[in-house]
Amino acid sequence: MSRHKQDYYPTPEIATQALLEREMFAPIVWECACGDGAISKVLEKNDYKTYDTDLFDYDYGESNQDFLKFKELPFTNCDIITNPPFKLANDFVLKAIELKPRKFAFLLRLAFLEGIWRKENIFVKHPPTNVYVFSRRLTIWRGDQAIKGTGTTAYAWFVWNSYNVSYTSKVNWI
């Protein structure tokens, strides 16, 4: 199967719900790669207000908003939760670190843990506070196709807290 041109893979509801059962966030959450609103809809069901942006138009949120070009958070007290395009995952993490939200959570392939560059430029300097690994693989499918089959890729929520002064990470299983 070929990859979606814009890396559009909506997040299953169970993935977002699992995160919310383990972490609390600011009352306003910025979903900066909102796609069709899959994450935001779960957040709203759980009484969070959302600010939804995406570079592309998927009929949800504000389109033509490039997260990587933002100079500051859209609200003083907002956290970030997103499933970024994997090809831009490094850039998204570094941008979130630069924007300094109190907390941010990214749904990423577990393979995000690999690599010398990531080790040196992300994990050593800015370790996540928690990594929540899905024991059962998620079924994440291209946003423009019907779901067929089950998940074949391991995913985890990577959560960074600005108050993680110990520079340690805890790995948990969902």
Side-chain angles (χ1 to χ4, degrees):
M1 174 183 65
S2 64
R3 295 212 39 89
H4 186 274
K5 184 170 71 171
Q6 284 98 26
D7 249 0
Y8 172 47
Y9 293 81
T11 305
E13 184 174 337
I14 60 167
T16 306
Q17 193 60 49
L19 174 66
L20 297 179
E21 289 169 7
R22 288 155 179 83
E23 295 277 343
M24 293 187 66
F25 295 89
I28 300 174
V29 176
W30 182 12
E31 214 300 31
C32 55
C34 71
D36 66 356
I39 290 174
S40 295
K41 291 170 186 172
V42 176
L43 288 167
E44 290 166 358
K45 284 182 192 176
N46 285 272
D47 299 322
Y48 288 95
K49 292 185 182 350
T50 62
Y51 177 62
D52 308 300
T53 61
D54 202 300
L55 182 56
F56 303 101
D57 186 359
Y58 298 106
D59 293 325
Y60 195 91
E62 295 179 28
S63 58
N64 299 310
Q65 301 294 315
D66 187 346
F67 174 67
L68 300 176
K69 293 186 178 170
F70 274 79
K71 302 289 186 211
E72 59 186 22
L73 293 169
F75 302 96
T76 304
N77 184 24
C78 76
D79 291 335
I80 300 170
I81 301 175
T82 198
N83 174 359
F86 194 75
K87 64 186 175 188
L88 298 174
N90 292 335
D91 298 327
F92 266 63
V93 170
L94 293 174
K95 176 51 85 170
I97 290 166
E98 175 189 318
L99 292 173
K100 297 180 180 150
R102 181 187 62 87
K103 182 186 278 193
F104 65 98
F106 286 0
L107 181 64
L108 300 165
R109 293 181 195 161
L110 191 55
F112 190 75
L113 288 169
E114 301 173 344
I116 294 169
W117 186 92
R118 281 191 195 114
K119 176 190 172 217
E120 294 172 357
N121 294 285
I122 294 176
F123 295 117
V124 170
K125 295 177 183 176
H126 311 282
T129 306
N130 286 299
V131 177
Y132 295 100
V133 180
F134 285 90
S135 299
R136 180 168 289 156
R137 291 191 171 175
L138 296 172
T139 300
I140 298 183
W141 209 259
R142 283 177 53 152
D144 60 349
Q145 293 181 337
I147 294 174
K148 301 176 195 170
T150 59
T152 58
T153 304
Y155 287 91
W157 280 108
F158 291 73
V159 181
W160 282 264
N161 291 304
S162 62
Y163 54 83
N164 183 18
V165 294
S166 66
Y167 290 97
T168 60
S169 299
K170 184 174 179 187
V171 177
N172 310 274
W173 281 265
I174 296 175

